[in-house]
Structures are given as C-alpha cells and as structure tokens.
C-alpha cells in the first residue's frame, strides 16, 4: 500500500533507497531531490544498472561502436552521425582507442575528445576504449583521470596490439587487459564501469579456447562489469561461447558483437585484422557479387538480421552490440528490421540534455543558443555547477571566450561551395541578404535554384515548431527583419504534444512568444517608438556589435519563456531570456556573420563588404510577448513598425 | 533611451547601481538578481532611503509607536494588533525600551522580543528603542548585537530616565543619547539606521530651548539619520521647532510625534511624565467631559486630525508618527480621516512576507502552514538561508522541535471560555466534533447559538478564497472529512484578481486544487481504493500520528500548487506540497488537537477522551489534483469514497 505507483522520476542513489520506502520523518530528511523531469528514469543510473534493468524488464537494446576519424571535417560529420543514430535510442555508444592517433590528446580527432563530444555534446552514454600495452602506468592513470574529468564513466579495458612483430611481456608493465582492469579498480575504486572483450572462438594468440576462457574469467573477477564479444558469423558460435562462460562461473552480461557485412573490402580487412575465418557459405555468396556494393550490403543486412533474430529468440541475449565502421545505413536498417530502433519523440526537456554527471541538475538554459546547443555546452563547460531550478545567480558565471576554437563552434557542417550556392556566390545589396533569410524560412529555392537548408545561426533546416510561424516570418524577413530564433506562444498544451511537448506525460507546457532578429538601425528607431505602446506587455533587448544595449527589462532578471507544470513536481522553466547571457550570445551571433558568411568571399570584395556592413551597423533584437494567453502581439509590433516607416 | 521604464523589481544595492545602466557584458557580470516579486519596490531599502523616496514622491506616510506588554496574553493581543494596524501601511513601527521589563531578554514580553516579532513574524519595518543611562558599554553592545542577529535594522537612541532622583553623570559611561549614537556608529559602522528624539519645546531638563537644539545637533552630527519629536499640542510648536533646527544646520528628516488624546487619565499621566503643559483651550474642553471616555476620544480625534492637516498642509511635513499607547481605534480613525491609512489588497506573494534581511530571498513555502504563517516562521527561524526559487534542496533543513514554546505557537488568541463555547462545553461523540468543523465552514451558530470563528488550525475566520469551496466543504465535514486547509484550482487568473491574485500586475496566477483533512481509518481505507482510479491525476500523502505514511508521490519531490507568471521574470512558485515537511507539519497538526482542544477539558473526561481518540486513530490526508485546467476532481474522489462506504 505504501508508494503504490512506481516513482516516475530520476532515481539518484539516495532517492532510490528512500523513495519507495514507508518513511518516518527521520529517514526522509536525507532524501535527495532532483528537479529535471526524466522520461525513462535511467539518466542517473550507471551503465551496468541500466543494463540490468533492461534485462529484468525484457526490453531489448542495442549499442553502437565507432572509431575516431582522421580529419576535423570527418569529426564534424561523425558528430552529426552520433546525433542521428543517437535518435534510435542506443543504450550506449563506444569509441575505440586509436594508439596511432594520439588517443588521449586534446586533438579534435582523438579518441578522448570524440568520446567527450559523444557524452557531453550529444548526450550519449559512452564507453571509451583504452589499451594498455606499451604504455606506462602514469600515462594510463593520466588518461583515466582525464576521462573522469570529462565526465566519462565507462572504460573498455583492452590489451591492444603489441607494436613490434614479436611482442614480449614487460616486467611490471601492463601486459594484459586484466592488468588494466586491476589498475582501474585499484586507482579509481568503483568509479568506472568496466567492459572487457570476449572472443567467441578464442583469442587468436591464446594457447587454446579454454585457456582464453580462463583469461576472460580473470578479467571479470578482477572487476569487469560486462563483456562485449568480438564479431562472429553464426549465432551458434556465440551461444556456445556464452554457455561455456557460464559453465566456468562467468555471470556478468555478455553482449554479442554484430558486424553487418557492408562491403567486400571492409570484410577482408576486418577478417585479416581479427584473424577470423569467414564461413564458406558466406564466402560462396559474396565472391560472385564482390564488385556490387549494394548487393553485398543487402546480403549483409539479411545475414545480420537473421543472426540477431536467432540470438534474441534464444532468450539469453538481451542486447546487441554493432560494429558500425562509422557507417549508418546498414546498421540502422538491421535495427529497424529487428524493431529495436526506437525513435522517441518525447523530450525530457525542450533542449538536448547533456550526459555529463556535472550537468545532471541542469534544467534551465538561455533561449539564445536554442539552435546551437553544442556551442552553449562548449561555452559553459568550465562552469563548476549548474543552476538548480533557477538560472539566475547572484553572480553570473562567465561564458567561454569567443576566440576559443572548437569543432562545431563557429564552423558549419557544409563545405564552402555548398554554402556559396545557398547564401549567394555574389551579394549585390543588403536585400540579397534578406532573400537568403527568406528562402531559408520558406524552403523555396533561391534565384539560382538552390535550397537554403542552413544558416550561420542554424546548421539544420527550420524546426517543426518554427514552421508554425512560417508565413509571418517570411513576410518580415523580406523586409529586413532577419530572424534567427523564434517560438510561438503556448497556453497549456499537453506535455505529450508531438511538436511543442516535453517532459513526463500528464503535464502541461507553456511558452511566451519569442522573436530574435538582426535589423538595421533605421528599423530599430521605428521599432522603439512602436514598443512604447506595448511597454508592459513586451520586453525587449536591443544591442549592436559594440555592446550598446537598449532594454526595458526590470533590472537584470531573466524572463522565463518556456515552462511546464507536471503531476507531483515543482515547476520546470527550462528556457529563459537572460539579459546577462544575451550579451555573451551577442558576440557569438555577430561573429557568425563574419566567420561563416563574410569569409566565404575575397577580402575587399563587394559581397564581403555587404556582410561587414551588416555586422558593423545592424542591431540584434529580441522580443518577448509576456501575455501568453492572448494572441501573439509581436507580429502586430512589427506591422506597426513597418507602417511607421512608410 | 536606455532602460526606459523604471525597474519594477526590488532594488538591492548592487542592482540599483547596475540595473539601470547601459551595460556592456562586463559591468553586468556582478549583477544581483532577486526572485521575489515586489510590489512597492522598497522592501530591501533602508528605512532612511524609504523615507527619502516617499518625501521625493510627495507620498505622505505614517508610523506607529507601541510599548511592550506586561503579560503573555497581552503580547498575543499586541501581535494581532500589529497585523491589523500593519494592514494600513505604516512606514515603520517602533517598540519602546522598557528598562524595568528586562528589555533585552528572551522573555516573550521584552522590548527585544516584541520588536523581533514585529519584524520577523508580522513583516513590519521596525525601530527598537534603546536607552543608555545606567548601563555598561558591554550590555549595550550585547543588546545591539542581539538586535542585529534578530534582523532588526533600526535603533532609536535615547538617554532614558535616570534611575535615582538626583542623577549624576557617570565618568566614561553613557550619559547622553549622543554617547549611544557614537557608540553604535563606532561599533556597528553604518549597519543600523539611527533615530533620535527631538523636543519641540525643549527637553525639560535642558538649560534652555537653544541649548537643547544644540544637543540635538550633536546627536545628528554624531550619526543619527532622522528625528522623531516628543508630542506637542499645536502645529505651530512643531513648525517653529523645525525651522529652528534647520536654522542651526539640522537637515535630516524631522518627524512630528502625534498623540491623539484618548482619555482623561492617560493624558494626565503622559503630561506628568513628559513635563509638558496642556494648553488652556484644550483643558477647557476636556475638564467638563472628563468622565465621558467616548466624548474625550472623539475630541482627541478631531484635534489630532486638524493638527495633522495643518502639518501636512505646511508642505514641510511628509510623515506623521503616532503615539498609539497600544490602542487601535483613535489612531486608526485619525489616519483614515487623513486619508493616509492605505489598505493595499495586493500581496507580493500569497503568504505574508517576513521583514528579516535573511528571509529576503524566501519565495516558496510548504502549503501546510498557510493558516499558521507565524508558526512556520518560528519553526524555520534557525535556517541559515532560504531556498532561492526552489523549495527542494539536496538535504532538507530541519524544522524546529515542537516542544519549543512560543507565544503564538500552540496557543489561541481566544480565552478558554470562548473556545469552550465555540468547540463545545461537552463532546458526546466524534459526530459532535464533525459539527464544530461544519459550523466553522458554514459560519452558522452551533446548537448553543455560538459562532465558530476559529479552529485549532486556524485562528481566523475562513479565508475569502476558501469561501469559494464552502458548499462542498460543508458537505464533506458533516460526514467526517475534517478539513483544515484547501484551495481551489485556478487556471491563469490575472495577478490583480482581488481574491486569488498576488505579485506584480500584468501577471497570471495558477493553482492546483488542494485539500487537507483529518479522517478516520475507515474512510482512509475506502479513499485509497477510490484513489487507484485517479492514480496519475491525484497525488496524496496520508499519515497518522505515529508517522505511518502512505503516498503515491514520485520520490520525495515537492509538488508546486501555486505559481505565477509575470512579465520579464522567472516563474515564481510560492507554495508547494512538500513530502518531507509534511511530516514535520503532521506533528504540529496532531499536537493542536491535544494542546488547544483536548486540554480544554478535564483529564479522563469523555470530551477529552473523544479528542484523544481522534488524535490516536485518525489520519491526516492531503490531496492534490494535478489537472489544474480541468474541473477539480477532489470532490468526486470524496463522493466516490462515501459511495463505496455506503
């Protein structure tokens, strides 16, 4: 009778033990509360606990393996892939350790930084691989400390490939993965979840299959939490291996590694590296079609699907680990056909949540970075803690400097040529800039027939929500109100609304109408006259690149523009218009004109000078209509402004 | 053009300097933000600044002087008077120093504790008088430290009456008020606002009127911020005094002390103490009517009104200080006739705000103490800081123990005989208890013809808001759902709504329906069955005196049940149903049955045993309907429960 419903909230270690218990006044005093509305209840759990919970509930899951890319451009693409494949709901992803690529460094292509990006910027539960041979204890401890600092909580402990042809054990060094497992446990106690590799047909260098099983058992007994296997080609191979493991007392989860064959050459290379033998029946199919990539991939998908089905049907397999080779199509196809690719349109908050432990309590952000969430995470990465329920603080934490460089900070995913096609090979006037904005809004091709699918302030096409405002946005952009961010007002829609909903079900979400745009000083002058009529209703902040700031906001208080009311919870207000951070955003918003757009053109070229003129002379304006239950008045404000100008 | 509107928010020292300025990103980083919606913008100001602001705006004000009472019962009454007279909007009240009454002690009737109550529990700006003669420096410093600790910010520095008939200066001691002023400034710097006394006809012991003016100038130059005068009988007396002060360089505010004559004897006594002479024209009126109290009071009111009008009309008087003699009628009458008694129905928050500097940021409280705000303040007085925008914290602060004794803690304002009339000289069954609850709700007299105007859980008649639910409340109380707290659901009413509104204008307020009651275990059993049908919609907490606790609340999170959305601000959620503090409230709510009700009757008497039975066996239940936009379902829940029982 006590606590009859399941808690729907996040379960931090302390609330897990307290929450469900019949609590006298004593026990509950140490309770920990959390403010963020969590949809799946597992955000704060350790990976091994999530795995166990999914196993207990019978809910099948999958995970995805990636390797670090070679170039910065490839890294930008990989991060987009994380976002897209993350949408399918992997339990975790893992990033391999690439010894030749300076894997622990701060390079944007290092294993460490890619894993960092996955966890912090893409919000994915992430395992970082780490190898130990040919490395000093100090190096390894350093890597682990860094991983911990970056918010990584899971390590795949591997021996790695010896560098010389004839590898010799190093006395007192790390010679086997088990040494690394022991080291992690002795230096970091229970902080990390540790994964180790299993070889369904035995490690190629092991004396025997049995000897290899014994090694595996050592790794587990040294403290590993679960096992991911090397790839294999027949479900029986795995199922026998699993049985053999259990027979010698290995009881932790064992996750089969699945390799959907995606091409003739990648298969050959992988087989060579892993010293596996491809079964004759597979070779027989592949050889005749070896030059037909599509055919091979189709076959690979078929093969993977049927093998995965056998594994899942066995009843002993609860999760599948995919070797993606950084590719999307085959793995996604297999997952969709298995029915375990689960795009969940529900969002715990209206913005993408980071998976860093430090950011767990984060439940409010300024609206300005709505289309650039990774930049926001980057610029706030040095913050010691995150506002717990309120954005405001007596002292406002500093944002990272704009000059800092980072992968996705001031950079577009698209190459220069594509951007030029979208934004104009040649600009002739401010109006040609207006046209680019208008085409982005309407989705219509520009006069050269190219669709504008991204803007410097938004690397993706228009959000579904913004589409609600399309008609009005088009109208004002044509006339030089260059919009970069907006949201409609919402007066209590269900939290499950497919477009504007977020948070747990049973709640209601609200928004104040918001509009942010660049515009000329001429329009600003008229706008300010019009705004006098709306003094109590509309809050505004108007700033130019030099920081001249015009506002009617009371003191420097944030204005909540998105909030939600949920059963049994405090109010959540995840988005605010914050006057202080607006000035940090202003720097970034203006810099994007130059860094992404002006620099596409030759110095001193007319096109570049037009962008430079806008940068120097335009204002960045944001408007909030506080009367959320009434019809949005911001369009009327702009109509009045245009009328005044005529 | 910059910050064109006046900030409507509280102006803390730092936001005052930052808020209105054209801020580059640098200056604004030190900005302080506040969360509480302030109506009059002066809550965080020092008294001397409020005075100056009111003077500048031409807005006339008044203040009220009280003396500490002799008995605890009189203290309870005085506190109610603070609340009632506080409603008229005094700029401050002051509490005299009563040397014979152990004025700095913790006794509930001491000057210190009465002033403490005024500032902390009644939310009034308060000046504590302090006299210095016949006291050591250490004593005085001790008193001042204590005053500071209690949140008092203003001191009226006085010499006090020498204890012996023939007073002699003490070498190195405090002989004059100026010594005390200097001491405060040297020991406490600028912490306190200091007030000193002025004598419009000269201090009776001064060598001359002129010598007394020079003493006054010394006090001001030693650091006093303003002057309150001794009473006088003619406006010319004050206006001449003010001119004379200005002539010798006294520029601080001088506030006339007004004494509405309320009776023949009190006038005589006062005149004797103050050594003032009553003008002949007044004596001529009073003597013939000296035995007619009402006539004298009417005359006193007339006299005061006309003198005050002359003072205010002079253009140099901005505020009036009233010597109330702890009485209400005459002063209130004068203030109302002058038009400066201003009851403001607007509330900054839905509960009465405390004036302690430490509690400035307090903007959320559990709903349970809604009818016992002073008890809540008392039980949380030891908290180091108050939740800033959220009630929840990782560790819940402890509430003061119930065993602690305090004036208004477990005590009713009404005497025993009156309570017995209302709650029954003799109880015969649980049903006779139901009837008391029902009469309190309906306002109808009980079967002995007495109206029930208070209950142990609510010392005042039903709130206007609760009246909205009267019909349903009556119905359920008759059947043994003994309600002690409730609020209707509200889906976005204007913040200026006269019944449920609060906070600055232009906002919208919301509520979830709430109901709290005692009821039998039989009803609880049926209720729990019914509640299964409402699982996602209704949150409940059900607890008995032993702490057995039944709830469906997710973890131990608070449920916001009152919140407001305002222009240019974060969301305010001033009232929550907090599971942790509910268990502290439970102790108090159950204790009130015994302390206030059962103890009216003889031990072992049937009446007492009925209350004791309820105490031992009933449950305290709270219900929240989370679906605030829909019709309140809690009545349906109770209907279903009664149906199940039939």
């Amino acid at each position: 009778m006590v606590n009859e419903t399941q808690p729907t909230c996040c379960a931090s270690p302390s609330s897990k033990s307290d929450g469900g218990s019949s609590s006298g006044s004593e026990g509950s005093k140490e309770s920990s509360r959390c403010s963020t509305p969590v949809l799946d209840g597992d955000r704060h759990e350790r990976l091994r606990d999530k795995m166990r919970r999914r196993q207990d509930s019978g809910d099948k899951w999958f995970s995805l393996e990636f390797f670090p890319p070679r170039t910065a451009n490839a890294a930008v693409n990989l991060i987009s892939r994380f976002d897209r494949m993350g949408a399918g709901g992997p339990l975790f992803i893992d990033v391999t350790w690439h010894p030749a690529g300076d894997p622990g460094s701060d390079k944007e292509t290092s294993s460490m930084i890619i894993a960092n990006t996955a966890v912090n910027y893409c919000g994915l539960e992430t395992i970082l691989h780490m190898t130990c041979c040919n490395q000093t204890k100090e190096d390894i401890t350093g890597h682990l400390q860094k991983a911990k600092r970056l918010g990584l909580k899971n390590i795949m402990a591997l021996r790695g490939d010896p560098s010389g042809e004839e590898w010799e054990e190093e006395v007192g060094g790390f010679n086997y993965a088990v040494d690394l497992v022991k080291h992690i446990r002795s230096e970091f106690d229970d902080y990390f979840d540790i994964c180790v590799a299993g070889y369904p047909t035995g490690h190629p260098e092991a004396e025997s299959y049995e000897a290899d099983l014994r090694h595996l058992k050592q790794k587990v007994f040294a403290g590993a939490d679960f096992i991911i296997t090397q790839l294999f080609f027949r479900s029986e191979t795995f199922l026998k291996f699993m049985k053999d493991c259990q027979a010698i007392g290995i009881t932790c989860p064992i996750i089969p590694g699945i390799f959907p064959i995606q091409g003739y050459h990648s298969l050959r290379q992988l087989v060579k590296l892993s010293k596996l033998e491809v079964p004759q029946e597979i070779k027989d199919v592949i050889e005749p079609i070896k030059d037909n990539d599509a055919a091979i991939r189709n076959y690979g998908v078929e093969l993977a699907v049927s093998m995965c089905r056998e594994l899942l049907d066995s009843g002993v397999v609860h999760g599948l680990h995919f070797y993606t080779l950084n590719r999307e199509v085959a793995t996604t196809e297999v997952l969709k056909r298995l029915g375990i690719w689960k795009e969940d349109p529900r969002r715990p908050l209206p913005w993408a949540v980071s998976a860093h432990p430090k950011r767990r309590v984060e439940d409010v952000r300024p609206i300005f970075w709505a289309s650039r969430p990774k930049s926001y995470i980057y610029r706030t990465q040095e913050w010691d803690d995150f506002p717990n329920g309120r954005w405001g603080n007596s002292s406002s934490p500093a944002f990272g400097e704009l000059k800092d460089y980072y992968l996705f900070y001031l950079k577009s995913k698209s190459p220069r040529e594509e951007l030029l096609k979208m934004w104009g090979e040649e600009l002739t006037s401010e109006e040609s800039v207006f046209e680019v904005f208008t085409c982005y809004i309407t989705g219509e091709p520009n006069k050269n027939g190219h669709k504008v699918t991204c803007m410097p302030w938004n690397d993706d096409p228009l959000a579904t929500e913004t589409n609600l405002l399309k008609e009005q946005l088009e109208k004002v952009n044509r006339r030089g109100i260059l919009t970069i961010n907006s949201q409609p007002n919402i007066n209590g829609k269900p939290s499950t609304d497919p477009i504007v909903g977020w948070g747990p079900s049973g709640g209601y979400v609200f928004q104040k109408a918001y509009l942010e745009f660049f515009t000329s000083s001429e329009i600003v002058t008229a706008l300010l006259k019009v705004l006098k009529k709306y003094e109590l209703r509309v809050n505004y902040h108007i700033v130019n690149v030099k920081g001249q700031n015009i506002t009617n906001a009371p003191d420097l208080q944030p204005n909540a523009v998105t909030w939600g009311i949920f059963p049994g919870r405090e109010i959540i207000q995840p988005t605010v218009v914050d006057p202080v951070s607006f000035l940090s955003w202003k720097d970034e918003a203006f810099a994007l004109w130059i860094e992404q757009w002006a620099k596409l053109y030759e110095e001193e070229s007319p096109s570049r000078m037009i962008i430079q003129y806008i940068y120097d002379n335009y204002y960045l304006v944001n408007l909030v209509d506080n009367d959320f239950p009434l019809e949005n008045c911001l369009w009327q404000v702009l109509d009045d402004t245009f009328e005044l100008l005529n």
Side-chain angles (χ1 to χ4, degrees), chain A:
Chain A
M1 196 146 91
V2 170
N3 246 342
E4 293 174 308
T5 53
Q6 286 301 312
T8 55
C9 141
C10 47
S12 67
S14 69
S15 65
K16 261 167 72 186
S17 57
D18 282 12
S21 68
S22 160
S23 46
S25 57
E26 233 176 47
S28 45
K29 275 184 187 155
E30 298 100 45
S31 75
S32 131
R33 299 154 190 215
C34 57
S35 60
T36 316
V38 172
L39 285 174
D40 54 5
D42 70 355
R43 177 131 50 103
H44 298 180
E45 273 177 319
R46 302 182 65 128
L47 179 50
R48 64 191 183 200
D49 296 329
K50 291 186 194 178
M51 230 174 251
R52 195 162 305 128
R53 199 163 48 76
R54 294 285 278 261
Q55 173 165 341
D56 292 346
S57 70
D59 191 13
K60 308 300 183 197
W61 54 266
F62 68 93
S63 52
L64 303 169
E65 182 163 314
F66 299 93
F67 56 80
R70 281 169 202 276
T71 65
N73 271 340
V76 171
N77 286 332
L78 182 60
I79 294 163
S80 313
R81 184 159 297 129
F82 285 171
D83 286 338
R84 285 191 302 269
M85 296 191 80
L91 188 66
F92 63 87
I93 71 146
D94 59 328
V95 178
T96 61
W97 191 251
H98 193 220
D102 202 357
S105 75
D106 286 335
K107 283 202 309 190
E108 56 202 346
T109 54
S110 78
S111 301
M112 186 71 80
I113 294 305
I114 292 297
N116 163 52
T117 302
V119 69
N120 287 298
Y121 295 88
C122 305
L124 297 168
E125 179 81 57
T126 303
I127 302 179
L128 175 62
H129 289 219
M130 208 170 274
T131 61
C132 61
C133 75
N134 300 323
Q135 289 197 78
T136 66
K137 264 191 186 164
E138 289 65 35
D139 281 349
I140 295 211
T141 302
H143 292 326
L144 290 164
Q145 280 166 341
K146 185 168 182 175
K148 184 176 173 183
R149 207 166 53 241
L150 294 173
L152 289 157
K153 295 166 292 180
N154 314 293
I155 299 290
M156 171 108 176
L158 298 164
R159 187 190 73 182
D161 294 316
S163 50
E165 194 61 20
E166 284 301 307
W167 172 65
E168 280 179 35
E169 285 192 23
E170 209 178 314
V171 179
F174 289 120
N175 297 306
Y176 296 100
V178 66
D179 300 326
L180 180 52
V181 174
K182 285 177 183 164
H183 179 73
I184 297 173
R185 282 286 172 252
S186 90
E187 296 286 309
F188 293 86
D189 198 16
D190 204 33
Y191 176 79
F192 289 106
D193 278 17
I194 302 175
C195 173
V196 291
Y199 299 87
T201 51
H203 191 280
E205 289 167 23
E207 300 147 49
S208 67
Y209 176 74
E210 289 70 25
D212 195 47
L213 277 184
R214 285 194 298 274
H215 287 146
L216 182 58
K217 184 174 172 179
Q218 281 175 355
K219 291 194 279 189
V220 172
F221 278 61
D225 294 296
F226 52 92
I227 296 161
I228 294 177
T229 76
Q230 179 57 289
L231 64 94
F232 51 88
F233 296 99
R234 292 188 185 113
S235 58
E236 308 87 74
T237 313
F238 176 81
L239 294 170
K240 173 182 183 300
F241 170 70
M242 200 165 169
K243 220 167 150 183
D244 294 337
C245 285
Q246 284 164 346
I248 63 163
I250 296 173
T251 56
C252 71
I254 305 173
I255 305 144
I258 310 297
F259 175 72
I261 296 169
Q262 306 196 46
Y264 184 73
H265 295 288
S266 62
L267 175 65
R268 262 175 56 130
Q269 204 185 351
L270 197 91
V271 163
K272 192 179 143 203
L273 278 172
S274 61
K275 297 179 182 142
L276 289 173
E277 206 169 311
V278 179
Q280 193 57 44
E281 71 266 24
I282 295 181
K283 280 188 191 156
D284 288 348
V285 178
I286 285 184
E287 280 298 334
I289 54 169
K290 69 179 176 188
D291 296 322
N292 185 339
D293 280 356
I296 290 192
R297 198 172 60 207
N298 286 344
Y299 171 67
V301 167
E302 284 300 332
L303 205 63
V305 167
S306 77
M307 188 172 79
C308 288
R309 286 222 172 99
E310 286 165 25
L311 290 169
L312 295 174
D313 289 348
S314 73
V316 295
V317 172
H318 306 280
L320 302 167
H321 184 71
F322 285 82
Y323 293 104
T324 67
L325 301 188
N326 286 16
R327 294 192 204 158
E328 236 168 302
V329 181
T331 301
T332 309
E333 172 84 13
V334 173
L335 288 166
K336 285 183 174 167
R337 286 185 47 191
L338 290 171
I340 57 177
W341 174 273
K342 283 174 189 157
E343 289 196 25
D344 187 348
R346 294 177 309 156
R347 309 173 290 175
L349 287 170
W351 30 262
V353 175
S354 176
H356 194 293
K358 203 172 66 174
R359 298 186 88 118
R360 269 180 195 169
V361 294
E362 185 180 21
D363 61 3
V364 49
R365 290 184 186 172
I367 196 172
F368 317 120
W369 282 268
S371 301
R372 293 176 59 76
K374 292 189 174 67
S375 166
Y376 180 74
I377 294 170
Y378 178 65
R379 292 190 70 182
T380 60
Q381 64 181 343
E382 300 300 332
W383 290 9
D384 284 335
D385 56 349
F386 288 84
N388 184 1
R390 289 178 55 73
W391 203 85
N393 242 322
S394 57
S395 70
S396 151
F399 283 84
E401 284 302 311
L402 203 58
K403 63 180 163 29
D404 296 343
Y405 169 76
Y406 203 64
L407 277 180
F408 32 67
Y409 187 35
L410 288 170
K411 214 165 176 172
S412 172
K413 286 196 290 242
S414 311
R416 181 169 178 274
E417 317 81 68
E418 229 172 278
L419 296 178
L420 278 171
K421 280 180 190 160
M422 292 195 272
W423 302 344
E425 304 277 353
E426 217 182 307
L427 302 172
T428 52
S429 66
E430 289 169 65
E431 281 70 26
S432 45
V433 172
F434 300 177
E435 208 205 315
V436 176
F437 276 85
T438 309
C439 288
Y440 176 71
I441 295 293
T442 60
E444 301 291 319
N446 63 19
K447 64 182 177 214
N448 296 316
H450 295 285
K451 287 200 177 186
V452 181
T453 57
C454 70
M455 291 295 282
W457 304 270
N458 198 338
D459 222 8
D460 294 301
L462 220 53
T464 332
E465 188 192 20
T466 318
N467 255 312
L468 301 173
L469 310 171
K470 207 162 163 173
E471 209 174 304
Q472 290 101 328
L473 288 170
E474 177 186 348
K475 190 173 141 194
V476 302
N477 274 284
R478 281 200 194 288
R479 301 197 54 176
I481 301 270
L482 307 177
T483 60
I484 60 170
N485 196 355
S486 57
Q487 69 175 22
N489 58 320
I490 302 291
N491 186 15
K493 287 219 179 180
S495 58
T496 47
D497 184 279
I499 296 175
V500 298
W502 52 273
S505 56
Y508 296 90
V509 298
F510 293 79
Q511 291 180 180
K512 291 181 180 175
Y514 178 76
L515 192 61
E516 182 181 338
F517 54 85
F518 289 100
T519 202
S520 66
S521 62
E522 189 196 359
I523 291 182
V524 163
T525 306
L527 177 64
L528 278 168
K529 281 193 193 124
V530 169
L531 282 170
K532 280 199 202 306
K533 283 197 302 179
Y534 295 84
E535 197 50 74
L536 277 171
R537 181 161 176 183
V538 176
N539 278 116
Y540 56 86
H541 295 272
I542 303 177
V543 65
N544 67 5
V545 73
K546 297 172 208 86
Q548 259 194 295
N549 190 20
I550 312 166
T551 177
N552 69 341
D555 293 354
L556 288 164
Q557 292 198 63
N559 190 353
V561 292
T562 302
W563 65 99
I565 317 297
F566 300 96
R569 295 178 179 280
E570 295 189 73
I571 316 296
I572 319 278
Q573 53 164 30
T575 323
V576 294
V577 169
D578 173 64
V580 178
S581 58
F582 183 57
L583 298 176
S584 293
W585 163 247
K586 174 266 293 179
D587 293 336
E588 183 171 334
F590 274 100
L592 287 162
W593 280 108
I594 302 299
E595 296 300 320
Q596 283 211 23
W597 201 336
K599 287 190 176 169
L600 296 176
Y601 309 107
E602 296 291 311
E603 277 188 54
E604 309 287 326
S605 67
S607 296
R608 186 147 176 177
M609 285 164 69
I610 286 167
I611 301 294
Q612 184 70 49
Y613 175 84
I614 289 176
Y615 174 87
D616 290 333
N617 293 287
Y618 273 38
Y619 283 78
L620 180 61
V621 178
N622 76 52
L623 304 176
V624 176
D625 177 5
N626 286 299
D627 263 333
F628 61 95
L630 312 181
E631 199 189 341
N632 179 354
C633 75
L634 300 181
W635 307 116
Q636 190 59 50
V637 168
L638 297 185
D639 276 351
D640 293 358
T641 304
F642 290 132
E643 203 168 295
L644 189 67
L645 282 167
N646 284 348

